[in-house]
Amino acid sequence: MSRNRYPHTNGHLTGAPRRHVALPKLPTHDELIASSEIVTRSVQQLRTAYRPDGLNVGINLGRAAGAGIDGHMHWHLVPRWEGDVNF
């Protein structure tokens, strides 16, 4: 995971598999497990560091969804606070 270059809010993280894949069904089992572990660890770290009221966790699939290039998926972890309106 890395901090997003254009964050929606403080703590916004972006992650992607090392290998370019377009759909969640395409990563190997090991890649899915590793991704899940990284997202879980990142959620814990964001909760500790930023103490948000909640988190949005989402996956972008394809160019039209914001992935930027075909054949690439990535996910976002966005800390959220009650009353925020920046998303």
Side-chain angles (χ1 to χ4, degrees), residues 27-37:
T28 67
H29 178 74
D30 289 343
E31 288 171 330
L32 289 172
I33 296 299
S35 296
S36 178
E37 289 172 350

Side-chain angles (χ1 to χ4, degrees), residues 1-2 14-36 38-39 58-61 67 69 71-76:
M1 300 296 287
S2 63
T14 303
R18 290 179 190 255
R19 186 170 59 90
H20 285 285
V21 293
L23 300 169
K25 68 180 183 176
L26 296 177
T28 67
H29 178 74
D30 289 343
E31 288 171 330
L32 289 172
I33 296 299
S35 296
S36 178
I38 290 168
V39 168
I59 298 175
N60 291 38
L61 305 172
I69 59 172
H72 172 79
M73 70 177 210
H74 67 272
W75 54 90
H76 294 268

Side-chain angles (χ1 to χ4, degrees), residues 56 69 86:
N56 288 117
I69 59 172
N86 62 347

Side-chain angles (χ1 to χ4, degrees), residues 3 9-13 40-55 77 79-81:
R3 290 188 2 197
T9 188
N10 289 334
H12 180 174
L13 300 178
T40 299
R41 223 174 21 249
S42 296
V43 165
Q44 293 168 343
Q45 291 172 349
L46 285 171
R47 286 181 185 237
T48 298
Y50 292 92
R51 305 226 186 272
D53 297 321
L55 284 145
L77 280 75
R80 302 301 304 270
W81 288 268

